[in-house]
Amino acid sequence: MTTLLQWCTLEPQGISGLAAVRFPTPVRVQTISIFPTDARPFLLSPDVVARTEPEAFFLEVYFNAHPTVSPDGKEKPKPTNALVPTVIAYAGGRMSFSVNMSRGTATRLMIVKGGFETVSMAIYGELVNDAMSLPSTYTPKNILPSEPPPVAKAIDPSMSRDPTHLARQLLALIPNAPPLPLVIQLMFCLKPSNEDWDLPEFPFLHPSLDQEIATFDLEQADTLTTRPVAEDTKPEQLEYFANLVAGAVGDKDDRQAYIVANILSNVASQMPDMAKTLLQAIDLSVVFDAYNMDEVTLYRLTDAAANPDISRHLQTDWFLSALDAITKDMNNDRATRSAARHLLSRIQGSAVVEDALSNTQGDFSRAAEYLADASSQEASFGVWLASFVTHEGLVKKLSENPIIPTSTQYPPLLLKRNKPLVSHDEFVAFVRAFIGVACVLAVYAWADSLPDRQCRERVLGILRLWQDVDGYRENPQSFLCIDYMKCILSLEPPHSFITYDERMSMRRAAIIAEDGLLGAVDELTRKVERPPTVKSLRGIRVALAIIERELDEEDEYDVLEEFWKEGSRGCLACLVDAFLEVSEELEKHFTLFPPPPAPSGLLAWLFHTCNDLLRLIIRLVPDYPLPGRAVRSLTISAANVFFCSDAVDMLYSQLSPLCIAAQEIRRTCISLTRVLANISHDGNKAGAQVVLRTLLEHGLQSEERDPAHHLLQVFGLIDYLLPMPDTDDTSTMWTQKVMPNVLKEMWAFCRVLDTENRAHLVRRLVGLDDGVVGIGDWILQEELNEVLQTLYRLLNPNLGANYRFVKQYQVANSIRFLLDLASSSASISAWFIRCIGSGDDLAPAFAAFLRAILDANLMCQPLVQLAQSLASHSSIDQELCQPLTLTLLRGCWTADLSSTDLASALHSATQIISALPFEDISLERITLELGALVSSLEDSPHTTDPSVVEAVTEFLDWFAATSRPLTLPGFSRQAFSAVCDQLTSSLNAEQKEVLDAIQASLEFTDDSEVPPAPTILPDSVKLSIHDVEELLHTELPIPSTPPRKALAQDVLSLVTVSPPTALIRSPAATGLTKTYSNNDFRQLRQTPSARQNTSRLPSMHVDDFQTVSPSTSMAPLPSLPLPVMGPSSPMANTMSIPFAPAPEVFPGLNQGFQPL
């Protein structure tokens, strides 16, 4: 049992700086908790106060571990002096660290070493006896999902008004460290040369802007701006320098445009006033135009545009028009056009970010895309970061947003492709985290360059901690992708953390990236590795990113052409095949018989790879439609991946990387089905028809997946696929062209859905149809036909008990389905009442359904509610009145109804039956049901309810008012009087007179047969596995030999018998009555004519087979009435078989034809 082993406050002692904790008995340490200064860790001991200094540090912990004695051990193990080390990274606040010593070890000494002054900790674990006791029985325990610990406030920039505070604290660990803005400039933008690092005044190497230069030109200005300007530079000096640059500007040419762009890029990361002063002095319209901005110039301007002031200055009509002209001029190469588009996007995105900081309805998704783009290049990243650290306006705008706890514990994942919807507070938290992490990376780069070991280790510990926190994990990954390819290819072993397999995996991805489009096409045209590994999946994802980048740069033709050159296949076909293979491997992990556990992280890689493939397919398929077969395969695989994503959602923590990847691909699968449905396939066939039919059929084919779960997920995908009424222009196409062609599949799919989902699907179809085609009416008709067939089967008394029980449950499900529709929204309920109550086809079918239930003597409470829903409407077909009345009456005395429901049902029954003429009413059934109802009221608590008594009296009054003499069965007059006496206690005088008149007008007989109590339909089904096997077992008939049949003796019945000599023969032939026994037939088949006949009836046993024994002689047939068969004979056109004519009929021929 885990308990508190020790509470202590440790201080390092001696030169070695060690502290130790000695336990009085052997213990097994499980957890170490460290508390910050002034914390009170124990509620019942408020005088215990923690002291921990500084706020964050590393601890090296050593345990003197020794083995424990096992219960069956013969000897006590010898003591050892082994020290087991571990490291604790304390980042502030209350933190707990798991030690989890194994069952076979214990310790009595713990040694602590590290950069701390004092530390207060609580040590938890269990005492270890000399004879270790092991549990005798296994007790299963629930494994709770692991949730990442909350980030300490000290290292959580998203919850700080100044997100640079942590970076400034880390930078202060370095002696004589420069200010943070200067570190950002030197590490990301203004790269100092190797000679500058060796200068004694480094890093404070500032240019002299006000020096007088006789021949000042733009190249000199470019050289001066490569070094950071001092923070105390006066405005006059900036103006002087700006005027010098403006005076050096000459006529437009390519080189001058490049130099000015380079100057703007250099000053973009420096003090804000410098860029503003320079832009005010230079007229950029005399420097740049659509003809002198090449690729390099555009990229330098793109870096400069990361500065909001420069971006705002470039957002003018003439400059934007020049960029637009470059992108549309096909004389420019692809790289130049791409660079122009990139600069245009950078200028527009900068304004979006500024607006999103203060506008609660800003475009947060596009602002996040801008930040991701700015962080993809080192120079742009440094310019943007320096601007948000030094520009007072941006710093103030960010700090004005209050610190409000967001709905999530961590910053939102806005750097992913599929961005979630976030609020303004969540976006501000994301920006703060983005800036905070970026500044810490700048500090790490400076500490690593010096190097400074203490600062670098502290920063690495924080970065390692962030790698386990969602929202922070993505930020360093986004920044560290800069020059990723060169970094990976330059890695040389040995490494302390990166394994050989991991290094080879990253190296393969870097090689693909280095090869560009050719490497990506080569990777995608290969077969997917089986089973897939992280190495192969990483290569596929890098290849997909390259293809997407090429398509973004409007180089679609080159991409498609490269696929045909390398793989002799189209790009889209390769992507579809790759997705089918990867999805097939993913599906194997979510079957009823899954493979062995996959390596850690492989499932998340599979989901990400499928998601990347689908996103690229969605992008290409509208312009390059797939054939129907490929669409069906793609739809089936997408549905299977959709199923897998939901399984992950149920099995894993919602905040785990695997669950996040699964949630992303769910949205992508939905988008894919919608895109495929909007494309025509196979001529004029709508894509919606192909996709919908495929999903409906696939929902019934679960293969090795859980059938119920698989069906539910396919239904969910269909629900997303169907358009919403009044919000989609394709509703008419769906109802008139798609649905009528998939009715058979739709009904088969509806039959296997549960009641709630089936009703939901029908409501969706009815709302989509809006009465144009009548899809809902047709489904109701099929439902009634199906349940009628089931009720007719229940009338068979020879049914097995389990089979009958299942069929009864099927009837109950149909009733609940109809009730769900009847009690839906006003529009659906009105449609249902109109169809059932007054439909030409459905009203007779529903009446037959009610009569069949009454004949089968079945009842359930939902049936009474359904009858009441129909009875409350005045437009009910007369054919339904009597079945509804009988149903309500039977429900009143069999279903477990409350007094209110009983009174309502009786009122409805009276209202319905009163609308029918007396001559159309069959009073025999009503008399039986009424007698059973009155009998059930005897000694019933309902007789004390006035509403029930009034309803019973009302129906009896109608019953007695008929012109026929009526007899109430099952009662004597005395017994009925006793029931009336119970009822009169709740009646007034007038109602008592009515009841007395009813009693006087009726006749009674107690010898009539009372209807038996009906069977209550089940609400659920519980069957053993043996019962299920019995239901699935089919009784096959015992095979038997068919009875012997005599062969016909007329000639025309033997026309199929060969040889032809057997058709016309003498009656003297005795072979016609020959019966073969055993192997006698072999001897007869030795003659040449017998060997020509090789046929016999296939379904008869050889010993029972009777045939014509062929004869070798030809006897005359004088009386055979065979007509002459010439060319004009009628039989010449109907019979074309060889025959042997008799000599008497054909005198000229003495021999028959030779057999063919």
Side-chain angles (χ1 to χ4, degrees), residues 894-910:
T894 57
D896 188 14
L897 301 179
S898 63
S899 297
T900 304
D901 294 336
L902 178 60
S904 176
L906 284 174
H907 280 301
S908 299
T910 306

Side-chain angles (χ1 to χ4, degrees), residues 8-178:
C8 57
T9 299
L10 303 178
E11 296 180 359
Q13 302 293 328
I15 302 176
S16 59
L18 299 178
V21 177
R22 184 170 180 84
F23 302 100
T25 60
V27 299
R28 187 176 297 111
V29 178
Q30 301 294 341
T31 306
I32 298 176
S33 297
I34 300 179
F35 298 85
T37 300
D38 297 333
R40 287 176 169 78
F42 307 110
L43 182 63
L44 300 180
S45 300
D47 55 330
V48 178
V49 181
R51 288 189 301 112
T52 300
E53 296 294 341
E55 293 184 359
F57 48 80
F58 284 92
L59 285 182
E60 298 178 14
V61 182
Y62 301 89
F63 293 97
N64 178 227
H66 60 82
T68 57
V69 181
S70 60
D72 55 351
K74 297 180 180 180
E75 297 181 359
K76 185 175 182 179
K78 296 181 180 180
T80 61
N81 196 28
L83 292 178
V84 180
T86 185
V87 178
I88 291 176
Y90 177 66
R94 176 175 178 174
M95 298 186 67
S96 297
F97 306 92
S98 297
V99 179
N100 294 331
M101 297 181 65
S102 62
R103 301 286 300 178
T105 58
T107 186
R108 295 187 63 179
L109 177 65
M110 185 179 79
I111 302 174
V112 180
K113 178 183 179 181
F116 67 97
E117 300 175 4
T118 178
V119 57
S120 295
M121 63 174 64
I123 305 172
Y124 296 90
E126 56 186 1
L127 300 176
V128 179
N129 298 325
D130 290 338
M132 182 178 60
S133 60
L134 296 177
S136 58
T137 58
Y138 168 73
T139 303
K141 297 181 180 179
N142 294 328
I143 300 178
L144 299 177
S146 60
E147 301 289 345
V151 182
K153 185 177 180 180
I155 57 173
D156 187 5
S158 66
M159 302 302 291
S160 174
R161 286 186 179 273
D162 181 13
T164 66
H165 178 68
L166 175 62
R168 297 180 192 274
Q169 284 185 315
L170 293 171
L171 191 61
L173 298 176
I174 302 176
N176 301 321

Side-chain angles (χ1 to χ4, degrees), residues 4 37 39 106 118 215 222 240 283 306 325 405 416 427 440 481 536 580 676 755 795 806 883 888 899 1036:
L4 177 64
T37 300
T118 178
T215 57
D222 185 19
Y240 176 77
D283 184 7
K416 292 183 173 293
F427 175 75
V440 170
C481 70
S536 62
L580 296 180
L676 294 177
T755 305
L795 297 177
V806 171
L888 290 172
S899 297
L1036 297 177

Side-chain angles (χ1 to χ4, degrees), residues 866-974:
L866 177 61
Q868 282 185 270
S869 299
L870 291 170
S872 60
H873 294 267
S874 59
S875 59
I876 296 299
D877 192 277
Q878 288 191 355
E879 189 174 358
L880 287 173
C881 291
Q882 183 157 327
L884 283 175
T885 303
L886 292 173
T887 302
L888 290 172
L889 289 177
R890 179 169 292 185
C892 288
W893 66 275
T894 57
D896 188 14
L897 301 179
S898 63
S899 297
T900 304
D901 294 336
L902 178 60
S904 176
L906 284 174
H907 280 301
S908 299
T910 306
Q911 181 181 1
I912 294 174
I913 200 64
S914 300
L916 280 179
F918 284 128
E919 58 272 10
D920 295 338
I921 301 175
S922 176
L923 291 176
E924 296 179 1
R925 296 290 297 271
I926 294 180
T927 301
L928 291 174
E929 299 295 339
L930 182 59
L933 170 62
V934 176
S935 177
S936 67
L937 292 177
E938 189 175 2
D939 299 328
S940 172
H942 293 307
T943 56
T944 59
D945 192 304
S947 61
V948 174
V949 175
E950 181 182 356
V952 172
T953 305
E954 183 182 10
F955 193 89
L956 287 175
D957 187 22
W958 169 86
F959 185 72
T962 58
S963 58
R964 312 174 191 176
L966 298 176
T967 301
L968 196 62
F971 282 94
S972 63
R973 186 171 295 276
Q974 292 76 12

Side-chain angles (χ1 to χ4, degrees), residues 58 148 214 223 515 583 666 747 787 812 843 870 888 1156:
F58 284 92
T223 303
D515 293 341
S583 63
R666 285 183 70 84
W747 171 240
V787 73
L870 291 170
L888 290 172
L1156 296 177

Side-chain angles (χ1 to χ4, degrees), residues 1012-1091:
T1015 301
I1016 303 300
L1017 295 173
D1019 294 332
S1020 60
V1021 174
K1022 293 182 180 180
L1023 296 174
S1024 66
I1025 189 64
H1026 299 291
D1027 294 337
V1028 175
E1029 290 179 354
E1030 179 184 351
L1031 288 171
L1032 297 177
H1033 180 68
T1034 303
E1035 293 290 342
L1036 297 177
I1038 301 175
S1040 60
T1041 303
R1044 181 180 302 174
K1045 297 180 180 179
L1047 295 177
Q1049 301 301 318
D1050 57 287
V1051 175
L1052 295 180
S1053 65
L1054 301 176
V1055 295
T1056 59
V1057 181
S1058 61
T1061 55
L1063 285 175
I1064 304 174
R1065 62 178 68 244
S1066 172
T1070 60
L1072 291 175
T1073 59
K1074 173 64 179 177
T1075 300
Y1076 295 118
S1077 299
N1078 299 330
N1079 291 327
D1080 293 346
F1081 70 96
R1082 299 184 183 275
Q1083 300 175 0
L1084 297 177
R1085 293 181 61 84
Q1086 301 305 316
T1087 60
S1089 61
R1091 284 197 298 269

